[in-house]
């Protein structure tokens, strides 16, 4: 794979350069084998990347091109991704450990969809005329005043991404920023850095001007140096609430604009009249998706007391039947957690809940017969108190808690009684009632009876509370990367 051969270097100012921080081994979470070595940026690399992006934005052609010209280069990048699709999907599987259905859709195809959507959206005119106004001036004259508003790129954007959906998130962030004329520095997670280098390779081949995309891999130190640098105008971050808070603090002295897409503890509300099988299937899909390493997963299952026992027994049977195994095997439906440390963390949170007397229904251990790889069984707790740590903290593993409720009002109160506010869902035969309940949920997204079935590029995505602020996707997602300038004409 070309990417693995090149990744011992960073991509700065349109060239592959040796990294000051050396290289770090990247391992396949299913096999625990090293799949390649990725360059780690040192301070001089950070300096070079920022200087390059700043110069490319301030003096280079990219922000001065029209949307059509930018769109043709970005479309060429998309064609490269599609041409290299098999290779990229294999890399995602090896690096992130996602099973084939997820690798094909959310990891790869969704990224392509979002990128294409942003290119189209950015083609809309950047200049909007404002009404002509007749103005009474202080010296008693009358004049015609008019103006336009112009959508302008923010400048140098820093994109920091997490380990779980590396291709989709890198591509989504880069294309939103690039389509609107910004320069980008992309810092991927050092656990899954190769997808970022794929984006760099496509940029190089498609002829993106040097400095408009720089890829610097690294960990906390690299991220901290970049977020503190005064030459960067915006940080778009996806990751944990803890790191989101650190980034906001790091970016505060230089008053950078931040877009923070953080974690969640989303509630799925199952009303007594809801389709129980569909709701359980949705909970299964959500909690086993990427072994629970999904920000919007329905980790709190709020089920009406009259159907709770039936729901729990249905979901338990589904959990026990999930084919867990090598993500490269098309038959596998759940793969491993990203690293041993993440599995240890999940294990310790589950063990603490068991010690606290929370009722474990299924899972809570490593699957037998898989001696390599960071696997963990889908795990379900029942009769859980919404105040207990297992119901409040983001676990980022395949762990769900069932919480009973008696009335819609109680369900809404429990759903909203969370530090997070990313997503949510409702199952009910009464769609009108479900819609009314959706309006009362304090989250960035609600899916009714399974939602639209896909992660639509048109639907703004993001959270409130500890799930962050700002939006990705939709018109709002594009606006995050622009600022509005008003230009007024003096009519005499
Ligand atoms: P993380 O917060 O540990 O790391 C994310 C990124 O931040 C990595 O690239 C990391 O190197 C970098 N980083 C760490 N410390 C930093 C610092 N001080 N300054 C700058 N950068 C720093 O997250 P993770 O473990 O990679 O991913 C899992 C988290 O991501 C979960 O909380 C999940 O909910 C969240 N997530 C959210 C969304 C969303 O859209 N809301 C999507 C996917 C994942």
């Amino acid at each position: 794979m070309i990417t693995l051969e090149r990744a011992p270097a960073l991509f700065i100012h349109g060239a592959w350069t040796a990294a000051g921080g050396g290289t770090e081994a990247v391992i396949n979470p299913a096999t625990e084998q090293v799949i390649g070595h990725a360059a780690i940026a040192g301070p001089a690399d950070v300096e070079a990347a920022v200087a390059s992006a700043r110069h490319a934005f301030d003096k280079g052609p990219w922000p001065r091109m029209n949307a059509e010209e930018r769109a043709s280069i970005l479309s060429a990048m998309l064609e490269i991704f599609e041409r290299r699709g098999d290779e990229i999907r294999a890399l995602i599987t090896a690096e992130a450990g996602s099973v084939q259905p997820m690798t094909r859709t959310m990891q790869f195809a969704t990224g392509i969809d979002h990128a294409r959507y942003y290119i189209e959206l950015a083609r809309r005119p950047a200049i909007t005329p404002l009404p002509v106004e007749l103005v009474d001036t202080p010296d008693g004259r009358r004049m015609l005043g008019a103006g336009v508003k112009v959508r302008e790129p923010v400048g140098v954007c820093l994109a920091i991404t997490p380990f779980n959906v590396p291709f989709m998130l890198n591509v989504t962030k880069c294309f939103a920023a690039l389509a609107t004329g910004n320069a980008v520095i992309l810092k991927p997670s050092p656990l899954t850095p190769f997808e970022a280098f794929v984006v760099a390779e496509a940029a190089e081949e498609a002829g993106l001007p040097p400095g408009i995309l720089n890829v610097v891999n690294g960990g906390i130190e690299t991220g901290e140096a970049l977020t503190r640098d005064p030459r960067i105008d915006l940080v778009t971050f996806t990751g944990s609430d803890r790191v989101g808070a650190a980034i906001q603090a790091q970016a505060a002295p230089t008053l950078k604009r931040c877009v923070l897409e953080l974690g969640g503890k989303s509630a799925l509300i199952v009303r007594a009249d809801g389709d129980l099988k569909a709701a359980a299937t949705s909970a299964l899909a959500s909690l086993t998706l990427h072994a629970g390493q999904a920000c919007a997963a329905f980790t709190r299952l709020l089920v009406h007391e009259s159907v709770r026992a039936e729901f729990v027994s249905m979901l338990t049977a589904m959990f026990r039947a999930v084919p867990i195994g090598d993500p490269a095997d098309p038959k596998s439906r759940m793969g491993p957690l990203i690293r041993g440390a993440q599995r240890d963390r999940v294990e310790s949170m589950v063990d603490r809940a068991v010690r606290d007397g929370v009722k474990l229904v299924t899972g809570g251990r490593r699957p037998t017969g898989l001696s390599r790889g960071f696997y963990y069984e889908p795990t379900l707790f029942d009769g859980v108190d919404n105040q207990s740590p297992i119901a409040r903290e983001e676990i980022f593993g395949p762990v769900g808690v069932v919480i009973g409720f008696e009335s819609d009002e109680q369900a809404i109160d429990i759903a909203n009684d969370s530090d997070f506010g990313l997503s949510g869902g409702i199952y009910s035969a009464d769609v009108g009632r479900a819609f009314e309940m959706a309006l009362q949920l304090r989250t960035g997204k609600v899916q009714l009876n399974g939602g639209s079935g896909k992660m639509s590029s048109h639907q703004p995505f993001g959270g409130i509370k500890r799930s962050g602020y700002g939006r990705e996707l939709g018109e709002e997602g594009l606006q995050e990367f622009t600022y509005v300038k008003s230009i007024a004409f003096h009519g005499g």
Side-chain angles (χ1 to χ4, degrees), residues 11 23 28 87 112 236 263 296 310 337 350 358 365 444:
F11 187 69
T23 62
N28 179 331
E87 186 195 340
I112 302 283
T236 170
E310 193 183 346
L337 294 161
V350 168
V358 188
R365 58 181 184 197

Side-chain angles (χ1 to χ4, degrees), residues 8 35 61 64 133 151 203 254 276 294 310 317 328 372 385 425 450:
I35 57 170
R64 284 145 205 101
E133 293 168 299
R151 192 186 64 213
T254 47
L276 269 201
E310 193 183 346
R372 277 187 170 273
D385 180 346

Side-chain angles (χ1 to χ4, degrees), residues 391-434:
R392 301 204 75 80
E393 295 167 8
E394 186 183 46
I395 301 171
F396 230 53
V399 182
V401 300
V402 176
I403 302 171
F405 69 86
E406 298 280 4
S407 67
D408 291 347
E409 292 64 33
Q410 194 191 5
I412 290 163
D413 285 348
I414 298 171
N416 286 338
D417 182 6
S418 170
D419 297 336
F420 296 98
L422 189 58
S423 190
I426 302 172
Y427 272 86
S428 173
D430 185 344
V431 186
R433 179 71 192 126

